[in-house]
Amino acid sequence: NGKFQGNDSGEVGAQIRFALIPILFTQEFKRALVIGLGTGSTLRTVAQFPFEHIDVVEIAPHIVGAARLWFEDVNGLVFDRDPRVSLSIADGRNYLLLSRQRYDLITIEISSIWISGEADLYNQEFYELCRKRLKERGVLQQWVQIHHMRTEDLLVILNTAASVFPHVAFFLGPEQGLLLASSSPLEFDYRKISSFDSNPLVKAELAAIDVPGMEALLGELMLYGDSLRQALAFLPRLSGQPQGLVSTDFQPYLEYRTPRGNALPYNTVPGNINFMLRLRPPGLPDDLTIRNLPSENERNLILGYIASQRGDLAAALQVLARVEGPARARAQEEMSRIQSGERRKMW
């Protein structure tokens, strides 16, 4: 309906993140689901990982035609060439309703939430459906805009997801938010994730978004555990509504509130970023588990990457200088990037 959706330039970085960030916490690689094909960039990134089956659902058949005709440079025609990929033309919510599959990863990027009907994929009933279709340790990723989005409405989205999933996190890339949700605590397996870093296909995805390794994406974590609960505690004060406010099919708060963001006389991005920065835990949250970490050197490498990704370059250099052993070469490479001026503050 004339709404800009994707391209092969500025939007690609966000679309790559919609795959890479949830994969940080994906425990098994049996089956993944991508809701919303768009240009096919996210699907291509998902396909770089060892999933046995990948389902993709697109509501508009002409979008598939456009992706095939105009966006091979960002999708590699993976939906035609990769035998693991099954493409369906369907509404994503209805597809989940009828499906009997259970997924290790569900990643979603649909149109802006203020478009009529899009809030159906942010309502409590939809999150309940996703939880049923995810495995116990499966991960849901959903794009959440922070532009033209009042902070109280952002908190309603997070509160709605948290009313269904006991473990919810919010990541922030360059002005694009990612909600992660799971029935189980988020766990980062260092051994597995670092093995992906050596995969040339994954390295190409990371290079496209100027990130030195998968671990560095942890630097984009804004809210999780205690920090998320602190953020949600602001909901009554900002909205004038009860703490338990959620958006449902029968009380579609988000359907009617989020369009107001398009008429605001101010830019919501700085306000939303500053709100989360005040609550963001330093380094890694205490309740985020890291497994299979060989030594303190690898922990320092992760902490250095996090500081570098956040733009705290002095702290990054200090931590990375302490890295010894097998991880030292990666630490020195990142230190060189910082000292050369290649690394800059994201926000």
Side-chain angles (χ1 to χ4, degrees), residues 82-346:
D82 193 325
R84 299 173 300 159
V85 175
S86 298
L87 172 63
S88 299
I89 304 300
D91 173 87
R93 182 164 166 170
N94 287 343
Y95 181 89
L96 279 176
L97 192 63
L98 297 172
S99 174
R100 295 183 179 180
Q101 301 293 343
R102 297 192 72 198
Y103 293 96
D104 300 296
L105 167 66
I106 298 175
T107 181
I108 305 169
E109 188 224 345
I110 55 170
S111 190
S112 299
I113 189 172
W114 51 267
I115 296 289
S116 177
E118 300 302 305
D120 286 355
L121 271 69
Y122 293 84
N123 285 346
Q124 188 178 54
E125 291 84 351
F126 177 69
Y127 291 125
E128 290 170 346
L129 180 57
C130 287
R131 185 171 181 177
K132 289 178 182 178
R133 295 293 175 259
L134 282 168
K135 295 179 183 177
E136 181 62 28
R137 297 201 297 169
V139 178
L140 168 69
Q141 184 283 140
Q142 185 174 43
W143 169 58
V144 178
Q145 68 185 67
I146 64 168
H147 60 84
H148 301 93
M149 174 71 73
R150 300 181 304 172
T151 302
E152 57 263 41
D153 295 339
L154 173 62
L155 291 177
V156 171
I157 294 174
L158 297 176
N159 206 42
T160 302
S163 72
V164 175
F165 287 97
H167 305 281
V168 173
F170 193 80
F171 280 71
L172 185 64
E175 299 190 5
Q176 302 288 354
L178 288 80
L179 182 155
L180 296 190
S182 179
S183 297
S184 299
L186 296 181
E187 291 188 353
F188 178 89
D189 188 326
Y190 178 83
R191 184 183 301 154
K192 178 170 56 186
I193 296 302
S194 61
S195 71
F196 292 147
D197 281 332
S198 61
N199 182 331
L201 297 175
V202 175
K203 289 176 73 171
E205 302 288 342
L206 292 167
I209 57 174
D210 193 30
V211 171
M214 294 279 289
E215 305 92 335
L217 291 168
L218 292 170
E220 298 181 13
L221 175 61
M222 282 286 192
L223 304 172
Y224 182 63
D226 288 342
S227 57
L228 179 72
R229 287 186 284 273
Q230 291 171 23
L232 294 179
F234 282 87
L235 182 55
R237 187 189 313 174
L238 294 176
S239 68
Q241 301 287 339
Q243 178 66 53
L245 175 64
V246 298
S247 188
T248 71
D249 291 349
F250 296 103
Q251 292 184 310
Y253 173 96
L254 294 168
E255 178 80 15
Y256 294 99
R257 291 285 183 162
T258 53
R260 297 184 178 190
N262 294 316
L264 294 174
Y266 60 90
N267 180 4
T268 66
V269 172
N272 285 325
I273 290 176
N274 289 332
F275 172 79
M276 290 184 281
L277 284 176
R278 290 195 297 269
L279 302 172
R280 182 181 68 181
L284 287 166
D286 294 336
D287 39 8
L288 181 65
T289 300
I290 299 183
R291 294 191 291 114
N292 295 319
L293 196 64
S295 73
E296 194 66 18
N297 289 312
E298 285 74 17
R299 178 177 290 277
N300 283 333
L301 176 67
I302 292 173
L303 293 175
Y305 274 157
I306 289 173
S308 180
Q309 192 69 8
R310 292 177 172 180
D312 191 351
L313 303 184
L317 288 171
Q318 186 177 26
V319 177
L320 290 168
R322 297 201 294 263
V323 177
E324 301 290 344
R328 182 160 180 77
R330 295 183 66 191
Q332 289 180 321
E333 183 178 354
E334 183 65 4
M335 290 172 68
S336 296
R337 295 184 72 208
I338 293 171
Q339 292 163 342
S340 69
E342 290 183 40
R343 299 292 272 160
R344 293 181 174 85
K345 194 173 181 65
M346 182 182 298

